[in-house]
Amino acid sequence: MTRTVVHLLRHGEVYNPNGILYGRLPGFRLSGAGQQQAKLVAEHLNERDITHVVASPLERAQQTARPLADSHQLEVAVDDRLIESSNKFEGLKVSVGDGALRSPRHWPKLYNPLRPSWGEAYLHIAHRMLGAVHRARVAAAGHEAVCVSHQLPIWTVRRFLEGRRMWHDPRRRQCSLASLTSLVFQDEELVRIAYSEPVGRTDPRVTGA
């Protein structure tokens, strides 16, 4: 049987001084700390048998992927299915106590938290992410691949693969900055999911992280 590992790497910290939900907006790049996180996770994976690196098209994911790809002398491939989820609150502050969630004009967006009604459906996120995972698995068959993505897509596909419900409390996501959610396959069968935090734990509630 062929053993292949696909690591889902969340990007590093982003420079976001206004604390908005930036989603898919352009121009949001890694902060100084985020660049250091990208280097540290590349060092952490330096001795691993990585033969394929692929990232979301967003800048912060591309920046996170680059040190890792360079250390293994690889190019960074792009898969649009690894992109951040769409969100109707994009560009607004949505932390507890901020105006976006207190304003009645935004309440219609909140009518169905199970889907969720304010953005891309959880099931759609899980399916597109799973497609990207299996493409990476095939590309790195018998070795290891790294897919650089974002917190919600990574957490959603993990819950899907573990057979858990899609809707959840965002405060309880286990997907810190520059963390690794590692999917171990024997041929096409997923046999194990592991999680690690090479640069330490971060608060999942921090907007803009």
Side-chain angles (χ1 to χ4, degrees), residues 8-11 54-56 61 81-84 128-129 147-151 153-154:
L8 299 177
L9 169 60
R10 186 185 171 195
H11 62 78
V54 59
S56 155
R81 293 174 295 184
L82 295 171
I83 199 168
E84 178 65 281
R128 66 171 169 83
M129 286 290 291
C147 299
V148 186
S149 188
H150 309 267
Q151 185 191 67
I154 293 172

Side-chain angles (χ1 to χ4, degrees), residues 118-137:
W118 57 82
E120 184 180 3
Y122 291 129
L123 193 58
H124 184 266
I125 297 171
H127 285 171
R128 66 171 169 83
M129 286 290 291
L130 197 56
V133 165
H134 281 293
R135 176 181 285 180
R137 177 187 59 78

Side-chain angles (χ1 to χ4, degrees), residues 22-43:
Y22 46 78
R24 297 180 178 179
L25 294 174
F28 284 87
R29 301 173 59 82
L30 294 183
S31 66
Q35 293 174 41
Q36 182 63 22
Q37 289 169 344
K39 291 177 182 177
L40 288 173
V41 77
E43 292 173 5

Side-chain angles (χ1 to χ4, degrees), residues 43-63:
E43 292 173 5
H44 175 77
L45 294 171
N46 189 53
E47 300 301 320
R48 303 299 292 260
D49 182 25
I50 294 168
T51 61
H52 183 65
V53 177
V54 59
S56 155
L58 296 176
E59 292 164 277
R60 56 193 184 272
Q62 294 286 314
Q63 284 184 286

Side-chain angles (χ1 to χ4, degrees), residues 182-196:
S182 302
L183 311 177
V184 183
F185 292 90
Q186 294 285 5
D187 291 336
E188 298 180 3
E189 181 184 0
L190 178 67
V191 295
R192 187 165 68 93
I193 299 176
Y195 175 77
S196 59

Side-chain angles (χ1 to χ4, degrees), residues 72-114:
H72 287 82
Q73 299 183 326
L74 298 170
E75 294 296 322
V76 179
V78 178
D79 192 327
D80 290 342
R81 293 174 295 184
L82 295 171
I83 199 168
E84 178 65 281
S85 58
S86 60
N87 196 303
K88 295 177 182 177
F89 289 101
E90 201 171 79
L92 302 174
K93 290 186 176 182
V94 294
S95 299
V96 175
D98 283 334
L101 297 182
R102 291 188 301 177
S103 173
R105 69 187 179 91
H106 292 300
W107 293 350
K109 300 183 181 79
L110 305 174
Y111 73 91
N112 182 4
L114 306 185

Side-chain angles (χ1 to χ4, degrees), residues 170-203:
R171 297 170 297 181
R172 298 182 180 276
R173 291 174 185 161
Q174 189 184 47
C175 191
S176 291
L177 291 166
S179 63
L180 292 163
T181 299
S182 302
L183 311 177
V184 183
F185 292 90
Q186 294 285 5
D187 291 336
E188 298 180 3
E189 181 184 0
L190 178 67
V191 295
R192 187 165 68 93
I193 299 176
Y195 175 77
S196 59
E197 297 171 343
V199 305
R201 185 180 183 277
T202 55
D203 190 339

